[in-house]
Amino acid sequence: MQGVGFRPFVFRLAQQHALAGTVRNTAGEVRIEVEGLPEEVERFLAELTAWAPPLARIERIEVTVMEPAGRSGFSIIESEDQPDRRQSVPADVAMCEACRAELHDPADRRYGYAFITCTDCGPRYTIIEAVPYDRERTTMRAFAQCPACLAEYRTPTSRRYHAETNACPACGPSLTFLSAPAGTPMARHDDALHRAADLLRQGGILALRGMGGFHLAVDAGDEAAVFRLRERKRREAKPFAVMIRDVDQARLLALVDEVEARLLESPERPVVLVARRDSGRVASAVAPGLDTLGLMLPSTPLHDLLLVLVDRPLVMTSGNLSDEPIAMGTEEAVRRLGSVADGFLVHDREILSRCDDSVLRSTPTGPLFLRRARGFAPLPIELPASSPVPLVAVGAELKNTFTLVHGSTAWVSPHLGDLDSLEALEHFRATLARYRALFRVEPAVAVRDLHPGYRSTAEAEALGCDQLIAVQHHHAHIAAVLAEHGRTGPVVGLAFDGTGYGDDGHIWGAEVLVADLAGYRRVGHLRYAPLPGGDLAARRPWRAALGYLASRPEAAGAFALAFRGIDETELAVAQRQIARRINAPLASSMGRLFDAAAAVLGVRWVSHYEGQAAMELEALAGRGCAREFPLHIEQTADGCWEIDPLPLLVALGERRLAGRHDVRELAADFHASIARAAVDVACRACEAAGIGTVALGGGVFQNARLLWSIHRRLEDRNIEVLLPRRLGPNDGAVSFGQAAVGAVLAERRSTCV
Ligand code: ZN
Ligand code: ZN
Ligand code: FE
């Protein structure tokens, strides 16, 4: 891979061992020729892997003995383009420690310079136009290096030898502060930074241009300011991430263990979800109703400088309105965020590809992606099967990503967001066009979700590929987990999520599948219940409860809390929808079961963002121990295991109403009962199919308590468990699963013909 400082490293190493020769990049490979004393060549070879630069990943080394050519000196041969070869593009990397030290060293010529970088750090993916990677093919082309920078660039012993993003205050990008809403330039350079810091200290909202797009920042301790941001951004309750200077600061706000500290400090610098402390240092409006806080450390020198100046935790959230894509260009940001921000801190290093912050959480079973973007995309992931033709998989509808495949290499796009606006669709199209150009993949096959109404389905059809393959949503979830582990199956899959289109036309979402990459058999699911209002039900948890009640009206007593405060007319409409089966599709959704439980327990009737009720139930359950209530499990005529959760909902409702049990205990009981039923059915399916492995996928597994509980119970029964690791459990992984299925099916179809 280019842009990771590997060739300069090889150069220095060769010099240390007095070896002559050359190093060159050829698409995805580095070719090194050395000659010198045999023992020095041996050492060179050993140190090549041992001391490789932090960003380099060496997959394999092949050694061939050649005749000495009697060369003297060592040189780097410029990369030449081979149009038929593909090569990887590095992801963006947070500022390294060496650059940070220089940034804060008054004697350094880059002291306080917001765009300091070296071969070990800085933007890559977001500024690269084309491969091979060098300055001329990035947006750094606009800045000619000054003599001092050029000297570093040409000095093999310098950390900036061949650093394509090299810059300094004399020659590189610079800062400007703009007024809001007009976007008039008010200050430049250090003054701009100070204006921005003053604005934040006074409780103002700052739109800040970072590496992959704009953030909106505000003092995280200022309740009124955070409220104002929520109002203007039209984001009622969805939690905000908070940026702090270092891990010590993080520990003032949250309980951060060693694993989480390492995640926070990793070069990818993701947002890490951690257990929140009642410190009073963070406004309650930052993450209302939750026991977690999303924290991140500065990823760029600009963020670092700002944090030092403001000297307090800052809310750092995507620069957008509600769920639109983040703003990227300065003019675009002024247009879209002019009514949100009180000022803009911008720079002139253009961004070519949007990239959101990545989000991870640590669970007892290891780190879990909630969003894979900056720092990870566009690094490739290998598929266990090779596709005979180039293909593209377009993903689902919410939390969309796409995946591009050539051979067995898959490039998953960064998180693109929900495809429900024109901006989002344009973002999807633009990113796909960039990926096709960067990786030189012209797809002949398009893979899409089974759902006929998804916008991604229309996008797949519009691509005009020779072949279109549809993959069932939950099959894709399980295939994604299989494929990232290099497996092809068969496996028993537990796919628990909000909604996905089932092959019987109903809404699925709590599915037990026997699956391999080529296909699946549905062997278990939650009993169907009507979902009055369809998609609207995801935002109205009481509607899911009403759907369950429909099958046994005599349980109404236990559901007394579920409809408290709901408008009578709205309730009557929903009841009619169920009775007349109008806009009340049948669903077997685990997400909606969590909603129904939240309503029955009197926790939440209206959700402001996807999964809010489930996240609050998880927060209430905490780490408390729990009792298990039975769920009815029955085998239907076709041999499918059906789980009926109504007895569980009734038990929870009755206990809550009787007032003997705390809602926190009952939330924990709910989790334990679901885990037990899921494991029961999974084990029966394993036994019946003679399978010893279970894969877990689907957005419900963002719930760490449920994930851990099911994982532990399965392992107790000696069942191997595959968890989502390199991609998240949610719909962000669906395109990768589709790609894995598509690769296998395309292979079969091509051999059939
Ligand atoms: Zn650096
Ligand atoms: Zn310079
Ligand atoms: Fe899903």
Side-chain angles (χ1 to χ4, degrees), residues 1-2 41 44 92 153 331 348 352 412 421 498 516 520 617 630:
M1 185 176 309
Q2 292 189 293
V41 174
F44 171 85
D92 299 328
Y153 184 86
E331 274 174 40
D348 50 359
L352 282 174
V412 184
S421 66
D516 59 16
Y520 69 95
L617 278 186

Side-chain angles (χ1 to χ4, degrees), residues 540-542 544-545 561-563 590-607 611-618 620 649 652 656 663 666-667 670:
R540 301 283 183 273
W542 63 268
L561 282 179
F563 315 108
M590 187 58 82
R592 297 298 84 80
L593 177 56
F594 269 81
D595 284 351
V600 167
L601 289 173
V603 169
R604 178 152 294 280
W605 298 269
V606 174
S607 290
Q612 184 178 11
M615 284 165 74
E616 287 173 347
L617 278 186
E618 184 189 358
L620 285 171
L649 291 173
L652 292 173
R656 176 77 171 117
V663 66
L666 295 170
F670 174 72

